[in-house]
Amino acid sequence: FVKATVSLAVSPKKASDKLAKKNTEVLDIIEGVLMEISVEDLDTMTPKQIRDRAKKKIKDRLNKILESGEVKDVYFPTFVFQ
């Protein structure tokens, strides 16, 4: 079980607008990354390692769908897993 609130730091502002237009794809990417967290990960990694890996994967995958601009950082105001 994973529950997360995600916030993105994007530059420039136009890139943020482009991501907003691709909202369904963005949500699918984020959900896909979070669904990749396995029971084995929970047993072998620290919460910080899991969170940092998810942040990197989300950032990398979202940057692939941006034609211009960049996701600079991914924030998890809420990140709970069991």
Side-chain angles (χ1 to χ4, degrees):
F1 166 80
V2 177
K3 179 181 179 182
T5 305
V6 181
S7 182
L8 304 172
V10 181
S11 179
K13 171 111 172 68
K14 286 182 182 180
S16 179
D17 296 339
K18 288 181 182 181
L19 279 179
K21 289 178 184 175
K22 296 181 177 196
N23 187 52
T24 302
E25 189 174 359
V26 169
L27 292 174
D28 187 63
I29 288 169
I30 292 170
E31 182 180 315
V33 169
L34 295 176
M35 288 179 64
E36 290 175 8
I37 297 171
S38 69
V39 173
E40 181 178 314
D41 293 338
L42 298 175
D43 289 339
T44 61
M45 299 172 72
T46 67
K48 182 177 181 342
Q49 289 172 319
I50 294 168
R51 189 183 64 128
D52 289 348
R53 187 176 72 179
K55 288 172 74 168
K56 181 178 180 349
K57 284 183 177 183
I58 290 168
K59 180 179 166 183
D60 291 347
R61 291 179 190 177
L62 291 179
N63 280 328
K64 286 181 183 177
I65 67 168
L66 277 174
E67 291 100 34
S68 62
E70 175 184 17
V71 174
K72 297 280 190 180
D73 210 343
V74 176
Y75 301 100
F76 289 117
T78 305
F79 190 80
V80 179
F81 58 90
Q82 295 178 332

